[in-house]
Amino acid sequence: DTGVSQDPRHKITKRGQNVTFRCDPISEHNRLYWYRQTLGQGPEFLTYFQNEAQLEKSRLLSDRFSAERPKGSFSTLEIQRTEQGDSAMYLCASSSWTGGNTEAFFGQGTRLTVV
Amino acid sequence: EDQVTQSPEALRLQEGESSSLNCSYTVSGLRGLFWYRQDPGKGPEFLFTLYSAGEEKEKERLKATLTKKESFLHITAPKPEDSATYLCAASSRGNNRLAFGKGNQVVVIP
């Protein structure tokens, strides 16, 4: 399968703990996005990378959140000192930026539950 | 700020009963309008991209159309396997993010 891969699929953590999620994009894609989705809502943009550079961050991304994409390949999203409000599906997507085509393909997501 | 509104929020259809889903968008210079399908507990699955008013795209029982203010997803003779949430998203020029609507939850009853 050459689609976007996310790990883990599910994560349950206690409030105050740190968690890290991984995303492996489609291999030839140079853009990688992180979105967050809560029940009954559409995905909300968090941040995106072009190659290894993080080019945009949403104001939703508080200083407890950090994302990296070393060497422009896989990406990690870390949440420090988790809060119950962080419970959501975290979605990763990738696209091949060609100056006009912005079709993004999503992974299956990581479901985070903070107890 | 880019805004996308979808209606109806939920729709129950009898198998074979055709219907349309609406997506209204407000963006500063549309770069692309996207439709995704999402099954419970899974990530969105890409369906279509539309770039300019008047454009139409089809895939099996689904047909997406675009005007300057709205997009429609027509479902012709739906089957139970078409049950899903359909997400609409817009991307504007100078903006690299997708703005999503809340989705249209479709249930097709056999």
Side-chain angles (χ1 to χ4, degrees):
Chain A
D1 189 332
T2 57
V4 177
S5 177
Q6 292 189 246
D7 184 70
R9 290 293 311 279
H10 304 275
K11 178 72 177 177
I12 300 174
T13 191
K14 292 184 178 180
R15 187 163 49 95
Q17 297 294 304
N18 299 344
V19 294
T20 300
F21 311 140
R22 178 181 169 120
C23 171
D24 287 273
I26 294 171
S27 59
E28 62 269 27
H29 284 182
N30 57 355
R31 283 201 169 179
L32 186 148
Y33 308 81
W34 286 99
Y35 285 80
R36 180 173 69 187
Q37 186 177 26
T38 54
L39 200 61
Q41 303 295 314
E44 295 175 296
F45 172 83
L46 293 178
T47 188
Y48 94 94
F49 293 83
Q50 180 154 319
N51 301 311
E52 67 276 9
Q54 188 174 17
L55 296 185
E56 189 175 348
K57 292 193 288 187
S58 164
R59 60 181 180 274
L60 293 175
L61 211 66
S62 76
D63 56 8
R64 295 185 298 107
F65 288 71
S66 63
E68 293 183 344
R69 192 183 182 197
K71 302 179 183 178
S73 55
F74 71 92
S75 176
T76 58
L77 178 68
E78 180 183 16
I79 309 175
Q80 296 182 327
R81 306 181 302 281
T82 52
E83 302 173 356
Q84 286 190 322
D86 296 331
S87 295
M89 174 80 88
Y90 289 84
L91 294 164
C92 176
S94 69
S95 69
S96 178
W97 176 247
T98 58
N101 183 344
T102 56
E103 294 162 1
F105 296 87
F106 283 82
Q108 297 292 13
T110 295
R111 168 74 65 188
L112 173 67
T113 303
V114 182
V115 298
Chain B
E1 187 172 321
D2 299 342
Q3 290 193 340
V4 174
T5 304
Q6 294 185 244
S7 63
E9 287 188 10
L11 189 61
R12 290 171 66 88
L13 299 171
Q14 289 292 134
E15 184 172 1
E17 178 188 0
S18 301
S19 189
S20 295
L21 311 177
N22 176 267
C23 170
S24 298
Y25 63 91
T26 304
V27 300
S28 301
L30 182 72
R31 173 182 283 164
L33 188 292
F34 305 83
W35 283 97
Y36 289 85
R37 170 191 170 127
Q38 187 172 31
D39 293 308
K42 297 192 175 181
E45 175 189 347
F46 173 75
L47 292 174
F48 304 109
T49 309
L50 302 166
Y51 292 105
S52 57
E55 191 174 358
E56 299 182 351
K57 288 193 177 173
E58 287 189 68
K59 179 181 180 180
E60 296 181 355
R61 295 175 293 282
L62 301 177
K63 178 180 177 180
T65 62
L66 182 65
T67 72
K68 289 186 177 180
K69 294 184 178 181
E70 296 175 304
S71 178
F72 294 91
L73 186 66
H74 308 278
I75 310 177
T76 302
K79 297 182 177 182
E81 53 262 42
D82 295 322
S83 298
T85 296
Y86 292 88
L87 293 167
C88 174
S91 174
S92 60
R93 295 191 186 92
N95 193 338
N96 296 290
R97 61 180 70 181
L98 292 175
F100 280 87
K102 292 184 178 182
N104 307 100
Q105 186 179 22
V106 175
V107 175
V108 182
I109 304 161

